[in-house]
Amino acid sequence: MMVMEVIQRNFFRLLRGGAFGSTGEAIEPMSPWKWNTLYNISLVHGVATLVYDGIKLYGDDFFMQIPPGLKAKWEKTKDQTVKAYTEGLDGLARLFDAMNHEQMRPILMHGQSLAALYDEPSHRTNGDVDIFLPYAPQAKKAEAWAKANGLQACKTERGTLQYSYNGLEVEHYTQAIRLTNFFLNKKLQGIINREVRCCDSTYIYLGDSKIETLPPTLGLLLTMLRIAHYTIIEGIRLRQLVDLGMTLRKAGNSIDFVKLQKWIDQLHFRRMAQLEGAMLVEFFKFEEDEIPFMDAKGSKDTKKVNDDIFSFKAGHSDDWYFTQGKNIFVRTSDSGAMTWQLKHVARFFGYYPAESITALSSSFAHSLSHIEE
């Protein structure tokens, strides 16, 4: 189902306001049903609290007439986001203090490290605590430590280690991110390994606790690659696009864009990078000169992505898999999800062809692994 254009316009106005403080456009009138649809969209994209911030910013607008019950539910969502972030800070500090004491060199990725760029870090919806362990001996040591000190430690199909620690859900990565294309992934891992070893470390601080984060230029590259993955395989999530915008505006002076351009070329990533820049211009009203990796002469068409953002049809690769019954025939557990993903990858194939082919093949291989002989 595609949502009405007035909902789309108001959604982006409020998200721009909450995330970046932009209030240049007036809110258009909407019915209670449309406001409820906008709320659900904000939940799907992990930006409900940021949109609520936009609502507060637009509070005096004549057409900001949200049903009281929905506004109360929205505020409750915001309060839950803030509470989850605040309660997690102490556990995060203790986790890194313990791992640093054992000299494991944990590097915080994604959520909490990106939240530090926001005016209100607690308003970014966060998930698990993702830790990158770049050195094999320390990663092995960290695994033993997690099994001894965490709860329900287990390896995932992706090769990561998951466990609970002081109320936090934690995941260890020995590769900060990986591409499914063997040759591109080999180049990517080389970039990550060189950058982690050669560059000055960067940190965020929680009280007296010092938490290492990815070098800014590498962090930006990984954010862009995560957006590419979601765009091609699972459907884009605007929380990652806000992260990209925040990185450019708040940490842009720390980024080596010459180096970033070189990496983009090495990974054959230029068309996808162009699309991500075009999304920032179209959806968040960035100026092109704020996006050094964007080609001023390149395509700025975002229609495919816009349709994807506001479509409630989705098919995560984990939602479908192949099974085999007593006969020889193989069937899929969710043909709708499988069909959606096939069409979705085909739709965005041209933006990153080398990765699209292998990503889809990887999904099929993962699904076939569920067949019971």
Side-chain angles (χ1 to χ4, degrees), residues 344-364:
H344 190 79
V345 172
R347 190 177 191 184
F348 291 97
F349 173 82
Y351 290 103
Y352 205 2
E355 178 65 9
S356 298
I357 294 171
T358 52
L360 187 59
S361 300
S362 178
S363 290
F364 270 97

Side-chain angles (χ1 to χ4, degrees), residues 197-218:
R197 285 165 170 77
C198 78
C199 295
D200 292 338
S201 299
T202 55
Y203 301 92
I204 59 173
Y205 294 86
L206 298 177
D208 295 329
S209 300
K210 184 177 178 181
I211 297 176
E212 184 176 358
T213 60
L214 291 168
T217 309
L218 180 62

Side-chain angles (χ1 to χ4, degrees), residues 82-115:
V82 172
K83 181 181 179 183
Y85 176 85
T86 305
E87 289 180 348
L89 291 181
D90 180 62
L92 183 64
R94 283 191 284 166
L95 172 63
F96 271 77
D97 284 345
M99 296 183 76
N100 284 327
H101 181 72
E102 299 294 333
Q103 298 182 332
M104 300 176 196
R105 198 191 174 185
I107 300 176
L108 181 65
M109 301 193 298
H110 309 149
Q112 292 82 355
S113 64
L114 290 166

Side-chain angles (χ1 to χ4, degrees), residues 24-290:
E25 301 175 75
I27 298 299
E28 298 178 64
M30 295 200 304
S31 66
W33 179 85
K34 291 176 183 176
W35 277 113
N36 192 68
T37 301
L38 195 154
Y39 169 73
N40 288 330
I41 293 168
S42 73
L43 288 177
V44 167
H45 287 280
V47 294
T49 298
L50 296 175
V51 173
Y52 181 81
D53 289 340
I55 290 170
K56 300 290 284 186
L57 198 64
Y58 272 95
D60 295 331
D61 192 284
F62 181 76
F63 290 115
M64 187 58 68
Q65 298 176 10
I66 303 174
L70 177 59
K71 194 168 185 178
K73 182 162 65 171
W74 221 318
E75 185 168 9
K76 183 178 179 181
T77 299
K78 183 266 294 182
D79 290 343
Q80 290 171 339
T81 301
V82 172
K83 181 181 179 183
Y85 176 85
T86 305
E87 289 180 348
L89 291 181
D90 180 62
L92 183 64
R94 283 191 284 166
L95 172 63
F96 271 77
D97 284 345
M99 296 183 76
N100 284 327
H101 181 72
E102 299 294 333
Q103 298 182 332
M104 300 176 196
R105 198 191 174 185
I107 300 176
L108 181 65
M109 301 193 298
H110 309 149
Q112 292 82 355
S113 64
L114 290 166
L117 298 172
Y118 286 58
D119 292 337
E120 292 287 348
S122 63
H123 286 197
R124 184 192 185 277
T125 303
N126 291 308
D128 297 348
V129 175
D130 295 327
I131 296 176
F132 174 41
L133 296 148
Y135 303 117
Q138 285 87 340
K140 187 174 181 180
K141 186 177 182 181
E143 180 177 344
W145 180 89
K147 290 178 178 178
N149 295 277
L151 297 174
Q152 298 177 321
C154 64
K155 282 288 187 74
T156 70
E157 292 182 350
R158 304 188 309 277
T160 62
L161 178 71
Q162 291 180 334
Y163 61 98
S164 298
Y165 180 83
N166 285 328
L168 298 174
E169 297 302 317
V170 185
E171 192 160 4
H172 288 186
Y173 292 77
T174 55
Q175 292 184 337
I177 193 171
R178 64 179 298 274
L179 297 173
T180 56
N181 182 292
F182 174 82
F183 298 104
L184 293 182
N185 187 58
K186 186 175 181 180
K187 291 180 181 179
L188 174 61
Q189 299 313 316
I191 289 169
I192 294 171
N193 292 336
R194 287 191 299 273
E195 195 73 2
V196 168
R197 285 165 170 77
C198 78
C199 295
D200 292 338
S201 299
T202 55
Y203 301 92
I204 59 173
Y205 294 86
L206 298 177
D208 295 329
S209 300
K210 184 177 178 181
I211 297 176
E212 184 176 358
T213 60
L214 291 168
T217 309
L218 180 62
L220 177 58
L221 176 69
L222 300 198
T223 295
M224 294 174 69
L225 288 171
R226 291 187 76 215
I227 292 171
H229 169 80
Y230 278 94
T231 301
I232 294 169
I233 300 298
E234 299 180 17
I236 189 170
R237 293 295 176 263
L238 287 173
R239 180 177 61 182
Q240 281 81 22
L241 193 64
V242 174
D243 289 339
L244 177 59
M246 286 291 179
T247 302
L248 289 171
R249 284 199 171 163
K250 299 296 183 67
N253 291 337
S254 303
I255 293 167
D256 183 340
F257 286 102
V258 174
K259 183 188 290 186
L260 180 68
Q261 293 279 19
K262 180 181 177 181
W263 292 344
I264 288 172
D265 289 336
Q266 288 176 347
L267 298 174
H268 305 290
F269 188 62
R270 183 153 299 283
R271 286 201 67 190
M272 180 57 70
Q274 180 72 15
L275 176 62
E276 292 178 18
M279 286 192 279
L280 290 175
V281 171
E282 175 66 23
F283 302 145
F284 297 151
K285 306 306 179 187
F286 272 52
E287 299 293 334
E288 289 185 25
D289 59 10
E290 294 182 88

